[in-house]
Amino acid sequence: MSDIGASCEFYTKKLGFTVAFTYGEPPFYGQVFRDGARLNFRQLDEPAFRPEIRGDVLSASITLEDAKPLFLEFQAAGVVFHQALKTEPWGARTFVVSDPDGNLILFAGRGR
């Protein structure tokens, strides 16, 4: 993350997470949580991935019972998706959110 405060704001305002803690002044480490999922943030002065290999590399994966309700909630909140809700060839329904730093978060649930 390039700015822990901005990241926390995105995850709370757009994705409905709650800040568990931030550490440092200014913050350089933190955690958000929602429904049993926890994501830890660490500030970096340069990107974690080189741009030429970034592609569709996931930063985190969160497993759900059903991804569709959360996708619809995020859609109503104006979240821009890296990948819209789709059914994968193996049957799972997934979508991917890109946060302000370009971190890709996969949300996956059972297919219906």
Side-chain angles (χ1 to χ4, degrees):
M1 305 293 185
S2 61
D3 181 331
I4 297 297
S7 295
C8 287
E9 184 171 333
F10 172 79
Y11 279 86
T12 58
K13 301 257 194 276
K14 291 286 190 177
L15 304 185
F17 281 75
T18 299
V19 174
F21 69 87
T22 59
Y23 181 78
E25 193 53 51
F28 63 87
Y29 191 73
Q31 183 184 83
V32 295
F33 67 94
R34 179 181 174 157
D35 302 326
R38 294 184 178 274
L39 296 172
N40 286 30
F41 301 152
R42 190 178 90 193
Q43 185 168 328
L44 298 174
D45 293 329
E46 49 189 72
F49 296 101
R50 293 189 323 259
E52 67 272 15
I53 64 165
R54 175 71 223 191
D56 288 331
V57 175
L58 298 173
S59 295
S61 176
I62 298 174
T63 304
L64 313 161
E65 187 65 30
D66 182 2
K68 186 175 182 180
L70 193 59
F71 173 80
L72 294 174
E73 177 187 323
F74 289 177
Q75 191 175 47
V79 171
V80 177
F81 297 96
H82 179 78
Q83 174 204 296
L85 184 67
K86 74 175 190 176
T87 301
E88 301 289 355
W90 53 90
R93 288 203 304 186
T94 67
F95 66 91
V96 178
V97 171
S98 178
D99 75 10
D101 286 296
N103 295 299
L104 302 181
I105 312 301
L106 169 74
F107 294 86
R110 283 191 235 170
R112 297 274 176 198

